[in-house]
Amino acid sequence: MASSSSFLLLAALLALVSSQVIASDPSPLQDFCVADKNSPVLVNGFVCKNPMYVNADDFFKAAELDKPRMTNKVGSNVTLINVMQIAGLNTLGISIARIDYAPLGQNPPHTHPRATEILTVLEGTLYVGFVTSNPDNKFFSKVLNKGDVFVFPVGLIHFQFNPNPYKPAVAIAALSSQNPGAITIANAVFGSKPPISDDVLAKAFQVEKGTIDWLQAQFWENNHN
């Protein structure tokens, strides 16, 4: 009897762990949970707004994603629509972004710690790729044309580059999190506040400390809006 109970307990624990492993954002337990951003309660996500006070504007934003954006010095601009812009996205596990690329512009190597991304090219051409985790670090890349779709698995370093020196490009990305996050590798490594020790980075990248000091002195602009 004790053995049977132990087996059932183990099975229950495995089922619980498995459900957490395959999950992205927490699954909703009701029709919606509009984010109450004024609540002082801290939870994983946002506390639900009283459904009696929810209205259509909680699920809406006049985002004008059909309009082009000004790009920055790396030649891109990411306009993300997540739970911070639409409170009704809370617990729904999705967000969307428009990405504008200047001629020869790029969305530099970055990761989304909480989301898989599926990218659709609307205009122009993009060279895209991602790198798998250690120890293989295998590089997958593809040239995409208008209407093509590419997937970047959750957490992996990836990029997009517009190889055309004359024409801009535009893409729409869907992400499997209400708040996918973005870590741009160069910004995080060389633009951290306070800076990472140049001794550490010189050893990690196998270069002189002067090279690291020069990189840390650059202005690492954020292209995510």
Side-chain angles (χ1 to χ4, degrees):
M1 185 70 177
S3 176
S4 177
S5 298
S6 298
F7 175 78
L8 290 173
L9 178 59
L10 177 60
L13 287 171
L14 287 173
L16 179 62
V17 169
S18 298
S19 70
Q20 295 302 309
V21 168
I22 64 173
S24 182
D25 287 350
S27 298
L29 300 177
Q30 58 277 318
D31 288 345
F32 51 77
C33 172
V34 172
D36 181 357
K37 296 173 188 173
N38 296 318
S39 173
V41 179
L42 300 178
V43 297
N44 183 24
F46 292 96
V47 173
C48 298
K49 182 178 179 180
N50 187 330
M52 294 295 293
Y53 304 125
V54 169
N55 59 58
D57 285 339
D58 290 314
F59 303 93
F60 169 80
K61 181 178 178 63
E64 298 185 322
L65 290 186
D66 59 320
K67 301 220 169 43
R69 264 60 175 180
M70 185 72 69
T71 57
N72 65 6
K73 71 175 184 177
V74 297
S76 66
N77 188 313
V78 180
T79 304
L80 177 65
I81 307 298
N82 64 5
V83 70
M84 302 309 296
Q85 287 79 41
I86 301 180
L89 281 175
N90 192 41
T91 76
L92 297 185
I94 58 169
S95 55
I96 192 170
R98 173 188 169 117
I99 313 172
D100 291 79
Y101 310 84
L104 299 180
Q106 68 168 294
N107 190 10
H110 63 282
T111 74
H112 301 295
R114 296 179 290 275
T116 291
E117 174 182 347
I118 182 167
L119 183 92
T120 303
V121 178
L122 299 185
E123 296 292 342
T125 300
L126 291 175
Y127 170 58
V128 306
F130 69 85
V131 180
T132 65
S133 56
N134 299 348
D136 294 338
N137 301 126
K138 187 172 181 180
F139 178 47
F140 293 89
S141 65
K142 193 79 176 174
V143 174
L144 308 181
N145 296 305
K146 183 176 179 178
D148 290 344
V149 175
F150 197 82
V151 173
F152 304 106
V154 59
L156 297 186
I157 295 174
H158 60 283
F159 68 89
Q160 302 106 37
F161 171 68
N162 177 9
N164 193 312
Y166 307 109
K167 294 182 179 179
V170 181
I172 286 285
L175 301 112
S176 62
S177 171
Q178 67 183 40
N179 186 20
I183 303 171
T184 304
I185 307 306
N187 298 41
V189 173
F190 300 113
S192 67
K193 302 176 184 62
I196 300 171
S197 164
D198 56 4
D199 288 313
V200 171
L201 295 181
K203 184 77 170 179
F205 288 95
Q206 296 293 287
V207 297
E208 298 295 326
K209 287 202 294 183
T211 302
I212 299 298
D213 293 338
W214 181 85
L215 287 167
Q216 289 179 323
Q218 304 308 302
F219 177 65
W220 295 100
E221 188 173 1
N222 180 19
N223 69 334
H224 286 68
N225 297 317

